[in-house]
Amino acid sequence: MQYSDKILNTPSSFIRNILKVTGEPDVISFAGGLPNPISFPTEKLREAINNSIDVHGTKLFQYSTTQGYLPLREFIAAKYKKTHGLDIHPDEVFITTGSQQALELIGKVLINKGDGIIMEAPGYLGAIQAFTLAEPNFYSVTLEEDGLNIAELEQQLQKPNVKFIYTVPNFHNPTGITYSAEKREAIYEVVKKYDVALIEDDPYGELRFRGETLPYIGGGRLENSILLGSFSKTVTPGMRLGWIVTKNKELLDHIETAKQATDLHTNIFSQYVIYEYLANNEYKEHVDNIINLYRIQSDAMLDAMARHFPPTVKYTKPDGGMFIWVTLQEGVSALEVFHAAMEVKVAFVPGDPFYTHPENVNTLRLNYTNSTPEVIEEGIRRLGAILHAYAPAEKVNA
Amino acid sequence: MQYSDKILNTPSSFIRNILKVTGEPDVISFAGGLPNPISFPTEKLREAINNSIDVHGTKLFQYSTTQGYLPLREFIAAKYKKTHGLDIHPDEVFITTGSQQALELIGKVLINKGDGIIMEAPGYLGAIQAFTLAEPNFYSVTLEEDGLNIAELEQQLQKPNVKFIYTVPNFHNPTGITYSAEKREAIYEVVKKYDVALIEDDPYGELRFRGETLPYIGGGRLENSILLGSFSKTVTPGMRLGWIVTKNKELLDHIETAKQATDLHTNIFSQYVIYEYLANNEYKEHVDNIINLYRIQSDAMLDAMARHFPPTVKYTKPDGGMFIWVTLQEGVSALEVFHAAMEVKVAFVPGDPFYTHPENVNTLRLNYTNSTPEVIEEGIRRLGAILHAYAPAEKVNA
């Protein structure tokens, strides 16, 4: 058999592959990006399921519409009004099989082979995978502590056939950074001059444990704004429910055709159930509980890093979300450190898969949402000992 | 915005679009392809859900593996042993978001722009849509009453870069025909000489109300055999669970990468629940009930057609599944008849969307699974009156 170029060029998920290695019970894993299962509203979802079956019966089990369940789309539209003051019509909301599918559909609908996509460097590896299937040229823009580098963005927008810019403006995966209000404004001023779409992927935006919600970069004001959202980090990832919001009707029509051809429609049972859950529970209270949990875990990790890491190692201090990004000294291979850390049963994700043109980088991602503060302390202590071995001699004693 | 060539070339589902027109409650619709909702084991599924939550708790709601839930894959493997005597290893089973996704993944993994796909004419429109996204050249082979025309198949296999042949050998959509044992053997003898995959898509195979189960064409003996299956027609379509079976490990590895990039994994909640349902209920008894229901409906439609249709109109007599295929006299436009039938509130699907190079054909598809025998009688009576108007004068009085 001969396989397609696009699949031969698509990286298989480094994370999913290393999770196979790091999955043993005695490994302390900061590698995954999983929500903490104690945050799942299991009994409330059971109630929602039983109520939905009582009320809607066989409708939960039949084929359904490609666009998604209307009451759920209405709920999502109303949520944007509440959180960001945006006027979104339910018909501008499109339900997807997780927001991973949203990425893949957008790539399919907008990208001809060789068209340009502007990506954050580093950026979300699931997006790199999804877009690669459409065989684009990736143009990288350095992600700084407050968002994209503006000069580089301007420069990359000159490249031929750039179709969209992909960003994760809140509690970024993998870095944990949040775009500043000023940087958002600056990006908007640049992007509005071009006929490109701006994707703001926001799976973590509700999980803010410090500071105030910031306005979207393009959402609500840019003609080709695309907002992505998900219930994976706030209710359940297992049910695979995400969504796309855009006011570009032609784009949504094409996405509907792509979705029909891809999986007909999103699991309708799950759409009824999540809506029923959202309609009958204090969603904000539930999210606040997750935030409190993750704040404690994040603080525990940052505190342990301050004590155990050599001072030459730099890292971000997230205001929300699930990740901390670590920059080792220039020249240190995070992949090499990964193997050394696995010897002492600690796992993380080396930085390479987060770049569209990976080299042997000195950066790595830590996740704190799936370990208790005690386990975090122990894991960071072990990792710190490894990092000291890679730090320059004069700094070890600092 | 400029959209991709592949999406501009992908037909949006004619059926889904006409369902919007035909959805009004006073329309008698033979247009859809929906299972009868009275066949859904709603209360048994509720039990399975509650038991699954009791036993597995948060695992139903967390991220999961791309390949699919192992006990479900084991169940599917064992089912092939029971029904067809095939030795399938659970690792040769891959769970997809409905079998529509299986089609799309296979197109992605095997097709470069311009590669060849051999399709039945007429063939399943969802497959035409899914494969179109990979920008292939379609090569048609006439579907006869007992399967593909062998001479045409041989001829099309000479075309450049043909990657696979797509078939629905049992109770075919849209025609309702079943490939004969002899034709299966003849196709096998041809295909085994070529380095191509043979897809046997079999969503309806269990719904046989006449005759014996036939062996697959390539399943169990062809190196690049791909079998597709689904729980959509036997348990629930709303939960979107299908699967791929192949012994080609490299192909499955690429499918896994494509699936990761497309939607990470299939809804794990639904996988637990369907497995729990299958493990604790008499699946065969349940399927037998569906078969009995559809046999009655099929008989009612064929009986009404014999009485109400002009004798110049030909149609298939399915041994299972959900569809009857009608061939009007040469020169009659099924699309024109569709509009006339909608005037008297009867809907069906004109043949055009089932061809890769549609012209104004004289064929149409009727579905019988979603109407009672009384409604079928009334709908076919109205449709018969229309068809008489299109029949030649001498035949109207026959």
Side-chain angles (χ1 to χ4, degrees), chain B residues 67-84:
Chain B
Q67 187 178 16
Y69 182 48
L70 178 59
L72 184 63
R73 290 188 284 113
E74 287 170 342
F75 181 94
I76 292 166
K79 196 153 78 75
Y80 281 102
K81 183 76 183 174
K82 210 179 301 172
T83 58
H84 288 81

Side-chain angles (χ1 to χ4, degrees), chain B residues 39-331:
Chain B
S39 74
F40 301 150
T42 303
E43 287 309 315
K44 300 282 186 187
L45 285 169
R46 188 207 293 263
E47 264 173 49
I49 290 163
N50 283 298
N51 290 343
S52 296
I53 295 175
D54 289 343
V55 176
H56 302 288
T58 56
K59 281 188 192 153
L60 274 75
F61 301 105
Q62 185 57 287
Y63 282 111
S64 188
T65 64
T66 301
Q67 187 178 16
Y69 182 48
L70 178 59
L72 184 63
R73 290 188 284 113
E74 287 170 342
F75 181 94
I76 292 166
K79 196 153 78 75
Y80 281 102
K81 183 76 183 174
K82 210 179 301 172
T83 58
H84 288 81
L86 299 183
D87 289 311
I88 308 286
H89 190 278
D91 283 348
E92 296 161 354
V93 180
F94 188 93
I95 305 293
T96 56
T97 306
S99 69
Q100 182 69 29
Q101 184 182 53
L103 301 172
E104 206 266 337
L105 293 177
I106 290 168
K108 229 175 223 169
V109 159
L110 288 175
I111 301 297
N112 280 321
K113 185 171 177 172
D115 282 351
I117 297 176
I118 294 180
M119 294 290 286
E120 303 161 318
Y124 174 49
L125 73 86
I128 296 172
Q129 279 188 299
F131 299 149
T132 299
L133 288 171
E135 304 181 281
N137 281 319
F138 286 118
Y139 302 117
S140 294
V141 173
T142 303
L143 189 70
E144 302 171 337
E145 291 219 356
D146 62 350
L148 292 173
N149 177 299
I150 298 291
E152 285 179 33
L153 176 62
E154 287 258 28
Q155 198 179 357
Q156 298 291 39
L157 279 163
Q158 311 308 320
K159 295 282 164 66
N161 300 318
V162 171
K163 293 296 187 66
F164 61 81
I165 304 160
Y166 174 78
T167 67
V168 181
N170 298 311
F171 325 128
H172 179 259
N173 182 356
T175 69
I177 69 115
T178 295
Y179 285 44
S180 70
E182 298 70 31
K183 200 45 105 49
R184 287 169 197 242
E185 202 58 29
I187 294 169
Y188 168 73
E189 290 298 329
V190 170
V191 173
K192 73 177 186 186
K193 296 182 288 183
Y194 295 85
D195 182 28
V196 296
L198 176 69
I199 301 176
E200 297 178 76
D201 189 1
D202 196 24
Y204 317 106
E206 293 175 276
L207 304 179
R208 175 182 281 279
F209 37 78
R210 251 184 302 277
E212 295 296 313
T213 301
L214 294 173
Y216 283 112
I217 302 166
R221 56 181 180 171
L222 211 57
E223 192 191 334
N224 291 313
S225 155
I226 300 173
L227 300 178
L228 305 184
S230 170
F231 291 114
S232 289
K233 307 306 185 293
T234 52
V235 186
T236 162
M239 286 189 167
R240 315 298 307 117
L241 281 191
W243 65 86
I244 299 172
V245 170
T246 181
K247 293 191 173 288
N248 182 330
K249 166 108 179 58
E250 194 181 1
L251 175 61
L252 268 192
D253 283 349
H254 288 307
I255 286 172
E256 183 167 1
T257 299
K259 168 88 177 163
Q260 278 176 4
T262 300
D263 67 358
L264 292 184
H265 67 81
T266 300
N267 190 307
I268 186 64
F269 177 91
S270 296
Q271 293 185 68
Y272 270 99
V273 166
I274 297 267
Y275 170 70
E276 179 76 14
Y277 165 76
L278 295 167
N280 295 295
N281 290 279
E282 280 304 325
Y283 178 66
K284 193 184 168 306
E285 199 176 289
H286 167 70
V287 171
D288 284 345
N289 288 337
I290 301 177
I291 290 171
N292 287 332
L293 179 66
Y294 291 177
R295 180 197 287 116
I296 292 167
Q297 292 171 301
S298 160
D299 285 350
M301 188 170 275
L302 289 168
D303 178 66
M305 289 165 82
R307 284 180 286 109
H308 298 302
F309 279 13
T312 48
V313 170
K314 305 296 175 204
Y315 46 87
T316 58
K317 295 182 182 64
D319 292 329
M322 304 171 64
F323 305 110
I324 294 171
W325 185 245
V326 178
T327 304
L328 308 175
Q329 272 181 269
E330 201 113 348

Side-chain angles (χ1 to χ4, degrees), chain A residues 81-288:
Chain A
K81 184 75 185 175
K82 209 179 301 173
T83 58
H84 288 80
L86 298 183
D87 289 312
I88 308 287
H89 190 278
D91 283 348
E92 295 161 353
V93 180
F94 189 94
I95 305 292
T96 56
T97 305
S99 69
Q100 182 70 28
Q101 185 183 53
L103 301 173
E104 206 267 336
L105 294 176
I106 291 168
K108 230 174 221 167
V109 159
L110 288 176
I111 300 297
N112 280 322
K113 185 172 176 171
D115 282 352
I117 296 176
I118 294 180
M119 294 290 286
E120 302 164 318
Y124 173 49
L125 72 85
I128 295 173
Q129 280 189 298
F131 299 149
T132 299
L133 288 170
E135 305 182 280
N137 281 319
F138 285 117
Y139 301 116
S140 294
V141 172
T142 303
L143 189 69
E144 301 170 336
E145 291 218 357
D146 62 350
L148 291 172
N149 177 300
I150 298 291
E152 285 178 33
L153 176 63
E154 287 257 27
Q155 197 179 358
Q156 298 292 37
L157 279 164
Q158 310 308 319
K159 294 283 163 66
N161 300 317
V162 170
K163 291 297 186 66
F164 61 80
I165 304 161
Y166 174 78
T167 66
V168 181
N170 298 312
F171 324 128
H172 180 259
N173 182 356
T175 68
I177 69 114
T178 294
Y179 285 44
S180 70
E182 298 71 31
K183 199 48 107 43
R184 288 170 196 241
E185 202 59 30
I187 294 169
Y188 168 73
E189 289 299 328
V190 170
V191 173
K192 75 177 188 187
K193 295 181 289 184
Y194 295 85
D195 181 29
V196 296
L198 176 70
I199 302 175
E200 298 178 75
D201 189 1
D202 195 23
Y204 317 106
E206 293 174 275
L207 303 180
R208 176 182 280 279
F209 37 77
R210 252 183 301 278
E212 294 296 313
T213 300
L214 294 172
Y216 284 112
I217 302 166
R221 55 182 180 170
L222 211 56
E223 191 191 336
N224 291 313
S225 155
I226 301 173
L227 300 178
L228 305 184
S230 170
F231 291 114
S232 289
K233 307 304 186 293
T234 52
V235 186
T236 162
M239 287 189 167
R240 316 297 306 118
L241 281 190
W243 65 86
I244 299 172
V245 170
T246 180
K247 293 191 172 289
N248 182 331
K249 166 110 180 55
E250 194 181 2
L251 174 62
L252 267 193
D253 283 348
H254 288 306
I255 285 172
E256 183 166 3
T257 299
K259 168 89 176 162
Q260 278 176 5
T262 300
D263 66 358
L264 293 183
H265 66 80
T266 300
N267 190 308
I268 186 65
F269 178 92
S270 297
Q271 293 185 68
Y272 271 98
V273 166
I274 298 267
Y275 170 71
E276 180 77 15
Y277 165 77
L278 294 167
N280 295 295
N281 289 279
E282 281 302 326
Y283 178 65
K284 194 185 168 306
E285 199 177 290
H286 168 69
V287 172
D288 284 346

Side-chain angles (χ1 to χ4, degrees), chain B residues 11-15 123-126 128 349-356 358 361:
Chain B
S12 91
S13 171
F14 188 86
I15 292 185
Y124 174 49
L125 73 86
I128 296 172
V349 185
D352 289 78
F354 301 106
Y355 297 89
T356 51
V361 297

